[in-house]
Amino acid sequence: AREVVAPDRASSEELEEHELEGQGITLSAPAINGNHRAYTDSGLWVPDESGTLYTYSVKEGTSGLTLTGGDQYVPSYNGSTITNTLTGKTEVTVTKTWADGGDADGFRGEITLELRADNVPIKTVTLDRTGVVSRILDAFTDSGNRWIYTFEDLDKYDANGKRIEYTVVETKFPDGYEQGNMEGDAQNGFSITNTLLTSVTVEKKWRGIRPENLPEISVGLYRKAENTAGQPEKVLDQDGHQLIAVLDRTTGLTYTFEDLPRFDENGQR
């Protein structure tokens, strides 16, 4: 029996006819058991006219089936079994965005990106302010606020022809920045934003009032970008409520609002 085995991704259309060419024999193997095709040659001669035993082997008439996009089924042989494994190459691009006013305060430092294949780390790359420790910052745009890196020459499929799921994790970034979520996917590219943070401390001082008579006050936080018109706007929390500090003799007369973006989306302080 001659058997052809294809990976799970193969469609019935792609493998409807899989030709094996021998000495004067061409066969089209019908589908059996999902991705398996089998054919049995009968009536073959065992010895030739002189009594010498024949050795029979099988080989595909083509070196592999190439699909649209360049992926290819590559055959391998084990006796009379031919296994076609889907192969191909891909790449994964990551865009790093800095929300820090074009590094106006000079706090940027190294970042490390880790590439994972099916959640297993396989490659790391370190990017810094002056370039990349091995290749790119391939493109600088938005006044240097975006760094772009591409992991290239990656296997698209594993040894069984299954599509590999690539993900990227930022494992190191500078102190003082808030790390955003890694968004996107391997096919369309990943992106992540790091935001430079600051804090604002408020202190209430009373004069002419005895400490035990100090009243409770509430202080709301407002913001306004430098060199912009208009009135200051309220600073809101994730629930849409204004950030407020309550100061009294019990809680204290000093409060620090922390983890605030230092620059707005236009890079204004």
Side-chain angles (χ1 to χ4, degrees):
R2 304 179 182 187
E3 184 178 13
V4 179
V5 184
D8 291 340
R9 184 180 177 275
S11 68
S12 59
E13 290 80 8
E14 291 167 337
L15 296 176
E16 187 63 32
E17 290 191 353
H18 211 97
E19 294 187 351
L20 302 176
E21 294 184 357
Q23 197 169 35
I25 299 174
T26 299
L27 61 90
S28 295
I32 61 170
N33 298 329
N35 289 325
H36 293 254
R37 275 88 171 130
Y39 180 86
T40 300
D41 285 324
S42 59
L44 298 175
W45 290 97
V46 178
D48 62 13
E49 293 85 348
S50 63
T52 303
L53 294 178
Y54 282 118
T55 299
Y56 290 95
S57 62
V58 295
K59 184 179 181 181
E60 287 192 1
T62 58
S63 59
L65 175 64
T66 301
L67 307 179
T68 302
D71 295 348
Q72 186 177 35
Y73 286 101
V74 176
S76 60
Y77 300 89
N78 181 15
S80 61
T81 298
I82 305 173
T83 299
N84 291 82
T85 302
L86 187 59
T87 64
K89 291 293 184 178
T90 189
E91 60 184 29
V92 175
T93 297
V94 187
T95 299
K96 166 75 171 188
T97 300
W98 297 94
D100 59 2
D103 198 23
D105 296 332
F107 288 126
R108 288 185 194 174
E110 289 185 348
I111 67 168
T112 299
L113 300 175
E114 179 180 86
L115 178 67
R116 298 180 179 180
D118 292 331
N119 210 33
V120 177
I122 59 169
K123 290 185 179 182
T124 59
V125 62
T126 298
L127 315 182
D128 60 27
R129 295 180 62 190
T130 59
V132 181
V133 179
S134 78
R135 4 189 264 193
I136 82 191
L137 289 180
D138 175 56
F140 279 100
T141 58
D142 296 342
S143 301
N145 289 331
R146 288 197 298 163
W147 296 358
I148 301 174
Y149 185 84
T150 300
F151 294 94
E152 298 177 335
D153 196 32
L154 305 174
D155 290 329
K156 189 182 291 188
Y157 307 98
D158 65 14
N160 297 315
K162 179 183 176 183
R163 183 72 180 251
I164 297 173
E165 181 180 355
Y166 287 103
T167 53
V168 178
V169 178
E170 184 183 49
T171 58
K172 177 184 177 182
F173 61 96
D175 293 336
Y177 285 83
E178 178 183 56
Q179 184 185 50
N181 295 324
M182 185 69 72
E183 300 178 345
D185 55 42
Q187 285 71 46
N188 300 299
F190 291 98
S191 63
I192 186 170
T193 298
N194 285 4
T195 302
L196 184 62
L197 302 177
T198 189
S199 61
V200 174
T201 299
V202 57
E203 181 182 9
K204 175 64 178 179
K205 293 183 177 181
W206 295 96
R207 293 179 180 175
I209 301 179
R210 297 177 62 85
E212 62 270 19
N213 295 328
L214 293 179
E216 177 184 285
I217 66 168
S218 297
V219 179
L221 184 64
Y222 295 80
R223 68 184 177 189
K224 180 178 179 294
E226 291 181 347
N227 305 317
T228 59
Q231 297 299 314
E233 62 180 16
K234 296 178 180 180
V235 178
L236 308 179
D237 60 19
Q238 293 181 346
D239 297 323
H241 303 131
Q242 185 180 18
L243 295 180
I244 293 177
V246 177
L247 306 177
D248 59 24
R249 63 187 181 90
T250 302
T251 60
L253 300 178
T254 301
Y255 183 84
T256 298
F257 296 95
E258 298 180 334
D259 298 333
L260 305 171
R262 185 171 298 198
F263 298 88
D264 68 9
E265 60 274 10
N266 298 316
Q268 295 294 318
R269 192 182 300 275

